[in-house]
Coordinates of all heavy atoms in Angstrom, one line a residue:
N1 N 278.5 162.4 67.6 CA 277.6 163.5 68.0 C 276.2 163.3 67.5 O 275.4 164.3 67.4 CB 278.2 164.8 67.6 CG 279.3 165.3 68.5 OD1 279.0 165.8 69.5 ND2 280.5 165.2 68.0
N2 N 275.8 162.1 67.1 CA 274.5 161.8 66.5 C 274.1 162.6 65.3 O 273.0 163.0 65.1 CB 273.4 162.0 67.6 CG 273.6 161.0 68.8 OD1 273.8 159.8 68.6 ND2 273.6 161.6 70.0
C3 N 275.2 162.9 64.5 CA 275.0 163.6 63.2 C 275.4 162.6 62.2 O 276.5 162.2 62.1 CB 275.9 164.8 63.2 SG 275.8 165.7 61.6
N4 N 274.4 162.1 61.4 CA 274.6 161.1 60.4 C 275.3 161.6 59.2 O 274.7 162.0 58.2 CB 273.3 160.4 60.0 CG 273.6 159.1 59.3 OD1 274.7 158.6 59.2 ND2 272.5 158.4 58.8
A5 N 276.7 161.7 59.2 CA 277.5 162.3 58.2 C 277.9 161.3 57.2 O 278.1 160.1 57.4 CB 278.7 163.0 58.8
I6 N 278.2 161.8 55.9 CA 278.7 161.0 54.9 C 279.9 161.7 54.2 O 279.7 162.9 53.8 CB 277.7 160.6 53.8 CG1 278.3 159.7 52.7 CG2 276.9 161.8 53.2 CD1 277.2 159.0 51.8
G7 N 281.1 161.1 54.2 CA 282.3 161.8 53.7 C 282.4 161.7 52.2 O 282.2 160.6 51.7
L8 N 282.7 162.8 51.6 CA 282.8 162.8 50.1 C 283.9 163.6 49.6 O 284.3 164.6 50.2 CB 281.5 163.4 49.5 CG 280.1 162.8 49.9 CD1 279.0 163.7 49.6 CD2 280.0 161.5 49.0
S9 N 284.5 163.2 48.4 CA 285.3 164.1 47.6 C 284.5 164.5 46.4 O 283.4 164.0 46.2 CB 286.6 163.3 47.1 OG 286.2 162.4 46.1
G10 N 285.0 165.4 45.6 CA 284.3 165.8 44.4 C 284.0 164.7 43.4 O 283.1 164.8 42.6
A11 N 284.9 163.6 43.5 CA 284.7 162.5 42.5 C 283.5 161.6 42.9 O 282.9 160.9 42.1 CB 286.0 161.7 42.5
D12 N 283.2 161.5 44.2 CA 282.1 160.7 44.7 C 280.8 161.1 44.2 O 280.4 162.3 44.5 CB 282.1 160.6 46.3 CG 283.4 160.0 46.8 OD1 283.7 158.8 46.5 OD2 284.2 160.7 47.5
G13 N 280.1 160.3 43.5 CA 278.8 160.6 43.0 C 278.8 161.8 42.0 O 277.9 162.4 41.7
N14 N 280.1 162.0 41.4 CA 280.3 163.1 40.4 C 279.9 164.4 41.0 O 279.2 165.3 40.4 CB 279.5 162.8 39.1 CG 279.9 163.7 38.0 OD1 281.1 164.2 37.9 ND2 279.0 164.0 37.1
A15 N 280.2 164.6 42.3 CA 279.7 165.7 43.1 C 280.2 167.1 42.6 O 279.5 168.0 42.6 CB 280.0 165.5 44.6
I16 N 281.5 167.1 42.3 CA 282.1 168.4 41.9 C 283.0 168.2 40.7 O 284.1 167.5 40.9 CB 283.0 169.0 43.1 CG1 282.1 169.2 44.4 CG2 283.5 170.4 42.7 CD1 282.9 169.4 45.6
Q17 N 282.6 168.7 39.6 CA 283.4 168.6 38.4 C 284.3 169.8 38.2 O 283.9 171.0 38.5 CB 282.5 168.4 37.1 CG 281.4 167.4 37.3 CD 280.1 168.0 37.8 OE1 279.7 169.0 37.4 NE2 279.5 167.2 38.7
A18 N 285.5 169.6 37.7 CA 286.5 170.7 37.6 C 287.4 170.5 36.4 O 287.3 169.4 35.8 CB 287.3 170.9 38.8
H19 N 288.2 171.5 36.0 CA 289.2 171.3 35.0 C 290.5 171.7 35.6 O 290.6 172.5 36.5 CB 288.9 172.1 33.7 CG 288.8 173.6 34.0 ND1 287.7 174.2 34.4 CD2 289.8 174.5 33.9 CE1 287.9 175.5 34.5 NE2 289.2 175.7 34.3
K20 N 291.6 171.1 35.1 CA 292.9 171.5 35.6 C 293.2 172.9 35.2 O 293.0 173.3 34.1 CB 294.0 170.5 34.9 CG 295.4 170.6 35.5 CD 296.2 169.5 34.9 CE 297.7 169.6 35.4 NZ 298.4 170.6 34.6
R21 N 293.7 173.7 36.2 CA 293.9 175.1 35.9 C 295.0 175.3 34.8 O 296.1 174.7 34.9 CB 294.4 175.8 37.2 CG 294.7 177.3 37.1 CD 295.0 177.9 38.4 NE 293.8 177.7 39.4 CZ 293.9 177.9 40.7 NH1 295.1 178.2 41.2 NH2 292.8 177.8 41.4
P22 N 294.6 176.1 33.8 CA 295.6 176.3 32.7 C 296.9 177.0 33.2 O 296.8 177.8 34.1 CB 294.8 177.3 31.7 CG 293.4 177.2 32.2 CD 293.4 176.8 33.6
V23 N 298.0 176.7 32.6 CA 299.3 177.3 32.9 C 299.3 178.7 32.3 O 299.2 178.8 31.1 CB 300.4 176.4 32.4 CG1 301.8 177.1 32.8 CG2 300.4 175.0 33.0
K24 N 299.5 179.7 33.2 CA 299.8 181.0 32.7 C 301.2 181.4 33.2 O 302.2 180.9 32.7 CB 298.7 182.0 33.2 CG 297.3 181.6 32.5 CD 296.2 182.5 33.0 CE 294.9 182.1 32.3 NZ 293.8 182.9 32.9
E25 N 301.3 182.3 34.1 CA 302.7 182.6 34.7 C 303.2 181.5 35.5 O 304.4 181.3 35.6 CB 302.6 183.9 35.5 CG 302.4 185.2 34.7 CD 300.9 185.5 34.6 OE1 300.1 184.9 35.4 OE2 300.5 186.2 33.7
I26 N 302.3 180.8 36.2 CA 302.6 179.7 37.2 C 301.9 178.5 36.8 O 300.7 178.5 36.5 CB 302.3 180.2 38.6 CG1 303.0 181.4 39.0 CG2 302.6 179.0 39.6 CD1 302.5 182.1 40.3
D27 N 302.6 177.3 36.9 CA 302.0 176.0 36.7 C 301.7 175.5 38.1 O 302.6 175.1 38.8 CB 303.0 175.1 36.0 CG 302.3 173.7 35.7 OD1 301.2 173.5 36.2 OD2 303.0 172.9 35.1
Y28 N 300.4 175.5 38.4 CA 300.0 175.1 39.8 C 299.8 173.5 39.8 O 299.6 173.0 40.9 CB 298.6 175.7 40.1 CG 298.8 177.2 40.5 CD1 298.4 178.2 39.6 CD2 299.3 177.5 41.8 CE1 298.5 179.5 40.0 CE2 299.4 178.9 42.1 CZ 299.0 179.9 41.2 OH 299.2 181.2 41.5
G29 N 300.0 172.8 38.7 CA 300.0 171.4 38.7 C 298.5 170.9 38.8 O 297.7 171.4 38.1
F30 N 298.3 169.9 39.6 CA 297.0 169.2 39.6 C 296.0 170.0 40.5 O 295.5 169.5 41.6 CB 297.1 167.8 40.1 CG 297.9 166.9 39.1 CD1 299.2 166.6 39.4 CD2 297.3 166.5 37.9 CE1 299.9 165.9 38.4 CE2 298.0 165.7 37.0 CZ 299.3 165.4 37.3
V31 N 295.7 171.2 40.1 CA 294.8 172.1 40.8 C 293.6 172.3 40.0 O 293.7 172.5 38.7 CB 295.5 173.5 41.1 CG1 294.4 174.5 41.6 CG2 296.5 173.3 42.2
G32 N 292.4 172.2 40.6 CA 291.1 172.3 39.8 C 290.4 173.6 40.0 O 290.3 174.1 41.1
D33 N 289.9 174.1 38.9 CA 288.9 175.2 38.9 C 287.5 174.6 38.6 O 287.4 173.9 37.6 CB 289.3 176.2 37.9 CG 290.6 177.0 38.2 OD1 290.8 177.1 39.5 OD2 291.3 177.4 37.4
I34 N 286.6 174.9 39.4 CA 285.3 174.2 39.4 C 284.4 174.6 38.2 O 284.3 175.7 37.8 CB 284.5 174.5 40.7 CG1 285.2 173.9 41.9 CG2 283.1 173.9 40.6 CD1 284.7 174.3 43.2
D35 N 283.9 173.5 37.6 CA 282.9 173.7 36.4 C 281.5 173.5 36.8 O 280.6 174.1 36.3 CB 283.2 172.7 35.3 CG 284.6 172.9 34.7 OD1 285.0 174.1 34.5 OD2 285.3 171.9 34.4
G36 N 281.2 172.6 37.8 CA 279.8 172.3 38.2 C 279.7 171.5 39.4 O 280.7 170.9 39.9
V37 N 278.6 171.6 40.1 CA 278.2 170.9 41.3 C 277.0 170.1 41.1 O 276.0 170.6 40.5 CB 278.0 171.9 42.5 CG1 277.5 171.2 43.7 CG2 279.3 172.7 42.8
N38 N 277.0 168.8 41.5 CA 275.9 167.9 41.3 C 274.8 168.2 42.4 O 274.8 167.5 43.4 CB 276.4 166.5 41.3 CG 275.3 165.5 41.0 OD1 274.1 165.8 41.0 ND2 275.7 164.3 40.6
T39 N 274.0 169.2 42.2 CA 273.0 169.6 43.2 C 272.0 168.5 43.5 O 271.5 168.4 44.6 CB 272.4 170.9 42.8 OG1 271.8 170.8 41.6 CG2 273.3 172.0 42.8
K40 N 271.7 167.7 42.4 CA 270.7 166.7 42.6 C 271.1 165.6 43.6 O 270.4 165.2 44.5 CB 270.4 166.0 41.2 CG 269.3 165.0 41.3 CD 269.0 164.4 39.9 CE 267.9 163.3 40.0 NZ 267.7 162.7 38.6
L41 N 272.4 165.2 43.4 CA 273.0 164.2 44.4 C 273.0 164.8 45.8 O 272.5 164.1 46.7 CB 274.4 163.9 44.0 CG 275.2 163.2 45.1 CD1 274.9 161.7 45.1 CD2 276.7 163.4 44.9
I42 N 273.4 166.0 46.0 CA 273.5 166.6 47.3 C 272.2 166.8 47.9 O 272.0 166.4 49.1 CB 274.3 168.0 47.3 CG1 275.7 167.8 46.8 CG2 274.3 168.6 48.6 CD1 276.5 169.0 46.4
A43 N 271.2 167.2 47.1 CA 269.8 167.3 47.6 C 269.2 166.0 48.1 O 268.5 165.9 49.1 CB 268.9 168.0 46.6
T44 N 269.5 164.9 47.3 CA 269.1 163.6 47.6 C 269.6 163.2 49.0 O 268.9 162.6 49.8 CB 269.5 162.6 46.5 OG1 268.9 163.0 45.3 CG2 269.1 161.2 46.9
L45 N 270.9 163.4 49.2 CA 271.5 163.0 50.5 C 270.9 163.8 51.6 O 270.6 163.2 52.7 CB 273.1 163.3 50.4 CG 273.9 162.5 49.4 CD1 275.3 163.0 49.3 CD2 273.8 161.0 49.8

């Protein structure tokens, strides 16, 4: 569609940092709660 897209996960370019959700009543496993977003990288793109 002539839209120059780039596919990313949060690991690419350190785009989205998170921590594993602490176990309380339920252990959700490898689920992340976000700590930060790399706005400099995203703005550059």
Side-chain angles (χ1 to χ4, degrees):
N1 279 286
N2 296 313
C3 175
N4 194 6
I6 180 167
L8 300 163
S9 73
D12 296 299
N14 193 29
I16 305 165
Q17 310 92 44
H19 62 272
K20 188 170 176 285
R21 183 172 297 165
V23 178
K24 292 180 182 173
E25 293 87 19
I26 299 167
D27 182 356
Y28 286 102
F30 295 102
V31 167
D33 291 328
I34 295 173
D35 295 319
V37 172
N38 188 344
T39 55
K40 185 178 177 184
L41 167 80
I42 298 169
T44 299
L45 295 172

